[in-house]
Amino acid sequence: MFKYKKLHIPELGNDSYRGISARDGVVILGGEDGKVVMLQGDQVQVFKLDGGDGLEIRDIAAMDLENTVLMGSGYPAKIFRRKGTSFSEVYQNNNTGAFLNSIAFWNEQKGIGFGDAIQGKLLVIVTEDGGYSWREIGNQEDEAAPEVDESEHGFAASGTSLIVGEPGEAWIALGGGKEGGAARVLKTEDYGRSWTSYSTSLDADSPSKGIFSLALYKNQRLFAVGGDYEDPSLSNAGGVGFSIDGGKTWQSSTSPTLGYRSCVAVKEDLVLAAGPTGIDLSKDQGTTWLPLIKSMKNDSFNSLAVDTDGTVWIAGKNGLLAKMIIDM
């Protein structure tokens, strides 16, 4: 079964939405200039974050309806936390190089986030109180933020370039890099205190290339999608890959997605990848990809979120929000 429906919600306007969360029928979208839209059934709530001017809300971690953490990409880098009916700013970094890419939570208390490098090391932040306070890795003994090449960076295209697994496990995806280089994945097994680097099969030899999104399937199988956002229709094996050993080694898909993809998500045994030109489907754990939806005029897909009931929600440009039911 396959159903796709584009929704018309006036409150979304013509903004671009990259941050998206779906849980128990509640969909939260992060837009431009600190705009947040929450949908539950026929009810629509719009929030304008105090202190969110100039920030794009590119990642959302929702533990439940009232406990939500928002990541603001831009300057200065900020994180906001909801408790009850209001949002408050809980983290701010005034360094001009601090651009946040993604946040994720292991449980209701412990979470992690990362941003682009400052003085040769990625900005890695952690929380142990559900996102009310954050500290930067590297300020305590026996811990260090990962070092990167001056040309390497992360991507915040969908807020999914960082994912978590078992307690303490997390992976960061990178892009950029030297000419002819491969994208790297960094892994921690101790809540961000130390990191191991692995080279992947995806290309990352220019600022616009690399891994834009990661997804995890049954603890050890990882999926990575990306490509070149400056050439979104380019389809090649260097834009999508998978790992069967927790990110240590990587393989290219034998038939890639049809263009650059900014988000990958897992729905049961299916894998979905979305980008400006469309959405692709893999039914064999990332080995091959098939085109599922082609973008129509004025549509451009950014992000995916799989709800607890299996509904797939899609966010994009020009106020795009769609939902998809798929079972194959």
Side-chain angles (χ1 to χ4, degrees):
M1 180 176 64
F2 172 69
K3 295 180 180 180
Y4 172 83
K5 182 179 181 181
K6 183 178 176 182
L7 305 181
H8 177 66
I9 300 175
E11 289 88 346
L12 293 177
N14 293 315
D15 291 351
S16 177
Y17 294 89
R18 295 185 182 276
I20 183 170
S21 169
R23 186 185 180 107
D24 298 329
V26 178
V27 180
I28 306 173
L29 297 164
E32 304 165 355
D33 279 326
K35 182 179 179 180
V36 179
V37 181
M38 182 179 295
L39 302 99
Q40 185 177 23
D42 295 330
Q43 296 183 338
V44 181
Q45 289 181 278
V46 179
F47 300 86
K48 181 66 170 66
L49 298 176
D50 185 17
D53 290 348
L55 296 178
E56 293 186 38
I57 307 305
R58 295 198 175 195
D59 201 2
I60 301 170
M63 277 70 82
D64 55 44
L65 181 60
E66 294 186 347
N67 293 285
T68 302
V69 181
L70 309 173
M71 182 196 77
S73 296
Y75 177 79
K78 293 183 179 182
I79 292 177
F80 302 84
R81 174 66 158 82
R82 185 186 190 195
K83 180 63 176 176
T85 60
S86 62
F87 287 95
S88 300
E89 181 184 315
V90 294
Y91 173 80
Q92 177 173 324
N93 192 313
N94 293 314
N95 190 298
T96 55
F99 187 92
L100 292 174
N101 294 307
S102 185
I103 57 174
F105 279 76
W106 287 281
N107 53 44
E108 292 184 356
Q109 296 299 313
K110 291 189 175 184
I112 187 170
F114 94 102
D116 289 341
I118 300 174
Q119 297 181 339
K121 293 185 178 182
L122 288 183
L123 171 64
V124 177
I125 57 176
V126 293
T127 179
E128 296 183 348
D129 59 6
Y132 284 103
S133 64
W134 298 78
R135 71 171 185 87
E136 298 173 14
I137 288 291
N139 294 327
Q140 295 184 3
E141 292 185 7
D142 300 323
E143 66 176 28
E147 296 183 358
V148 295
D149 184 82
E150 62 180 2
S151 58
E152 285 185 299
H153 51 259
F155 291 106
S158 62
T160 54
S161 53
L162 161 69
I163 59 171
V164 297
E166 294 296 311
E169 275 189 331
W171 294 263
I172 287 174
L174 297 176
K178 300 177 181 178
E179 183 177 354
R184 289 197 300 150
V185 165
L186 309 175
K187 182 181 181 181
T188 181
E189 296 181 282
D190 55 8
Y191 295 100
R193 297 180 65 85
S194 63
W195 295 84
T196 303
S197 170
Y198 300 105
S199 182
T200 73
S201 58
L202 283 78
D203 296 333
D205 54 4
S206 75
S208 57
K209 286 184 178 181
I211 301 174
F212 286 72
S213 180
L214 293 170
L216 177 63
Y217 175 77
K218 294 184 178 178
N219 298 332
Q220 288 299 306
R221 196 173 188 103
L222 293 172
F223 306 104
V225 300
D228 187 344
Y229 71 77
E230 290 190 346
D231 190 0
S233 62
L234 178 65
S235 177
N236 64 67
V240 59
F242 62 94
S243 170
I244 61 173
D245 57 9
K248 296 178 181 178
T249 60
W250 290 81
Q251 304 174 50
S252 296
S253 301
T254 55
S255 61
T257 55
L258 292 184
Y260 150 68
R261 295 295 179 253
S262 54
C263 189
V264 61
V266 175
K267 186 217 179 270
E268 297 174 347
D269 292 332
L270 302 176
V271 193
L272 299 160
T277 60
I279 297 175
D280 302 284
L281 168 71
S282 177
K283 297 188 287 185
D284 56 10
Q285 301 302 299
T287 303
T288 60
W289 291 86
L290 301 169
L292 186 64
I293 299 173
K294 184 178 180 180
S295 296
M296 304 299 289
K297 185 178 180 180
N298 297 324
D299 287 348
S300 181
F301 305 121
N302 289 331
S303 308
L304 302 166
V306 181
D307 205 339
T308 44
D309 67 355
T311 301
V312 180
W313 293 88
I314 307 153
K317 294 183 178 179
N318 300 314
L320 186 146
L321 177 65
K323 68 178 182 178
M324 182 167 61
I325 306 297
I326 183 169
D327 186 11
M328 295 184 177

